[in-house]
Coordinates of all heavy atoms in Angstrom, one line a residue:
R1 N 4.3 -9.7 2.3 CA 4.5 -8.9 3.6 C 3.7 -9.6 4.7 O 2.5 -10.0 4.5 CB 4.0 -7.5 3.3 CG 4.3 -6.6 4.5 CD 5.6 -6.0 4.4 NE 5.9 -5.1 5.6 CZ 7.0 -5.0 6.2 NH1 8.0 -5.7 5.8 NH2 7.2 -4.2 7.2
G2 N 4.4 -9.8 5.8 CA 3.7 -10.5 6.9 C 3.9 -12.0 7.0 O 3.4 -12.6 7.9
S3 N 4.6 -12.5 6.0 CA 4.8 -14.0 5.9 C 6.0 -14.5 6.7 O 6.1 -15.7 7.0 CB 5.0 -14.4 4.5 OG 3.9 -14.2 3.7
L4 N 7.0 -13.7 7.1 CA 8.1 -14.1 7.8 C 7.6 -14.5 9.3 O 7.0 -13.7 9.9 CB 9.2 -13.1 7.9 CG 10.0 -12.8 6.6 CD1 11.0 -11.7 6.9 CD2 10.6 -14.0 6.1
P5 N 8.0 -15.7 9.7 CA 7.6 -16.0 11.1 C 8.3 -15.2 12.1 O 9.5 -14.9 12.0 CB 8.0 -17.5 11.2 CG 8.9 -17.8 10.0 CD 8.7 -16.8 9.0
R6 N 7.6 -14.7 13.1 CA 8.1 -13.8 14.1 C 7.7 -14.3 15.5 O 6.7 -15.0 15.7 CB 7.6 -12.4 13.9 CG 8.1 -11.8 12.6 CD 7.5 -10.4 12.4 NE 7.6 -9.9 11.1 CZ 8.7 -9.4 10.6 NH1 9.8 -9.3 11.3 NH2 8.8 -9.0 9.3
T7 N 8.5 -13.9 16.5 CA 8.1 -14.2 17.9 C 6.9 -13.2 18.3 O 6.7 -12.3 17.5 CB 9.2 -14.0 18.9 OG1 9.6 -12.6 18.8 CG2 10.4 -14.9 18.5
T8 N 6.4 -13.4 19.4 CA 5.3 -12.4 19.9 C 5.9 -11.0 20.0 O 5.1 -10.1 20.0 CB 4.7 -12.9 21.2 OG1 5.7 -13.1 22.2 CG2 3.9 -14.2 21.0
S9 N 7.2 -10.9 20.3 CA 7.8 -9.6 20.4 C 8.2 -9.0 19.0 O 8.8 -7.9 19.0 CB 9.0 -9.6 21.4 OG 10.0 -10.4 20.9
G10 N 8.0 -9.7 18.0 CA 8.3 -9.2 16.6 C 9.7 -9.6 16.1 O 10.0 -9.2 15.0
K11 N 10.5 -10.4 16.8 CA 11.8 -10.8 16.3 C 11.6 -11.9 15.3 O 10.7 -12.7 15.4 CB 12.7 -11.3 17.4 CG 13.0 -10.2 18.4 CD 13.8 -10.8 19.6 CE 14.1 -9.7 20.6 NZ 14.8 -10.2 21.8
L12 N 12.5 -11.9 14.3 CA 12.4 -12.9 13.2 C 12.8 -14.3 13.8 O 13.7 -14.4 14.6 CB 13.4 -12.6 12.1 CG 13.0 -11.4 11.2 CD1 14.1 -11.1 10.2 CD2 11.7 -11.6 10.5
R13 N 12.1 -15.3 13.4 CA 12.4 -16.7 13.7 C 13.0 -17.4 12.6 O 12.4 -18.0 11.7 CB 11.1 -17.4 14.1 CG 10.4 -16.8 15.3 CD 9.1 -17.4 15.7 NE 9.2 -18.9 15.8 CZ 8.2 -19.7 15.6 NH1 7.0 -19.2 15.4 NH2 8.3 -21.0 15.7
R14 N 14.4 -17.2 12.5 CA 15.1 -17.7 11.3 C 15.1 -19.2 11.3 O 15.1 -19.7 10.2 CB 16.6 -17.1 11.4 CG 16.6 -15.7 11.1 CD 18.0 -15.1 11.4 NE 18.0 -13.6 11.3 CZ 17.6 -12.8 12.3 NH1 17.1 -13.4 13.5 NH2 17.5 -11.5 12.2
S15 N 15.1 -19.9 12.4 CA 15.1 -21.3 12.4 C 13.7 -21.8 11.7 O 13.7 -22.8 11.0 CB 15.3 -21.9 13.7 OG 14.3 -21.5 14.6
E16 N 12.7 -21.1 12.0 CA 11.4 -21.5 11.4 C 11.4 -21.1 9.9 O 10.8 -21.9 9.1 CB 10.2 -20.7 12.1 CG 8.9 -21.0 11.5 CD 8.4 -22.4 11.7 OE1 8.9 -23.1 12.6 OE2 7.5 -22.9 10.9
C17 N 12.0 -20.0 9.5 CA 12.2 -19.7 8.1 C 12.9 -20.9 7.4 O 12.5 -21.3 6.3 CB 13.0 -18.4 7.9 SG 12.1 -16.9 8.4
R18 N 14.0 -21.3 8.0 CA 14.8 -22.4 7.4 C 14.0 -23.7 7.3 O 14.0 -24.4 6.3 CB 16.1 -22.6 8.3 CG 17.0 -23.7 7.7 CD 18.2 -23.9 8.6 NE 19.2 -24.7 7.9 CZ 19.3 -26.0 8.0 NH1 18.4 -26.7 8.8 NH2 20.2 -26.7 7.3
A19 N 13.3 -24.0 8.4 CA 12.4 -25.2 8.4 C 11.4 -25.2 7.3 O 11.2 -26.2 6.5 CB 11.8 -25.4 9.7
R20 N 10.8 -24.1 7.1 CA 9.8 -23.9 6.0 C 10.4 -24.0 4.6 O 9.9 -24.6 3.7 CB 9.0 -22.6 6.2 CG 8.1 -22.6 7.3 CD 7.3 -21.3 7.4 NE 6.5 -21.1 8.6 CZ 5.8 -20.1 8.9 NH1 5.7 -19.1 8.0 NH2 5.1 -20.1 10.0
Y21 N 11.6 -23.4 4.5 CA 12.3 -23.5 3.2 C 12.7 -24.9 2.9 O 12.4 -25.3 1.8 CB 13.6 -22.6 3.3 CG 14.4 -22.6 2.1 CD1 14.0 -21.8 1.0 CD2 15.5 -23.4 2.0 CE1 14.8 -21.8 -0.2 CE2 16.3 -23.4 0.9 CZ 15.9 -22.6 -0.2 OH 16.7 -22.6 -1.4
L22 N 13.3 -25.6 3.8 CA 13.7 -27.0 3.6 C 12.5 -27.9 3.3 O 12.6 -28.9 2.5 CB 14.5 -27.5 4.7 CG 15.9 -26.8 4.9 CD1 16.6 -27.4 6.2 CD2 16.8 -27.0 3.7
A23 N 11.4 -27.6 3.9 CA 10.2 -28.4 3.7 C 9.4 -28.0 2.5 O 8.3 -28.5 2.2 CB 9.3 -28.4 4.9
N24 N 9.9 -26.9 1.8 CA 9.2 -26.3 0.6 C 7.8 -25.9 1.0 O 6.8 -26.2 0.2 CB 9.2 -27.3 -0.6 CG 9.0 -26.6 -1.9 OD1 9.2 -25.4 -2.0 ND2 8.5 -27.3 -2.9
Q25 N 7.6 -25.3 2.1 CA 6.3 -24.8 2.6 C 6.2 -23.3 2.5 O 5.8 -22.7 3.5 CB 6.1 -25.3 4.0 CG 6.0 -26.8 4.2 CD 5.8 -27.2 5.7 OE1 6.3 -26.5 6.6 NE2 5.2 -28.3 5.9

């Protein structure tokens, strides 16, 4: 919980999720 990257307004940053996934981070 709290690991999904979000903007300062709380919206999900799906592109950052994808980047972390592809980089295995």
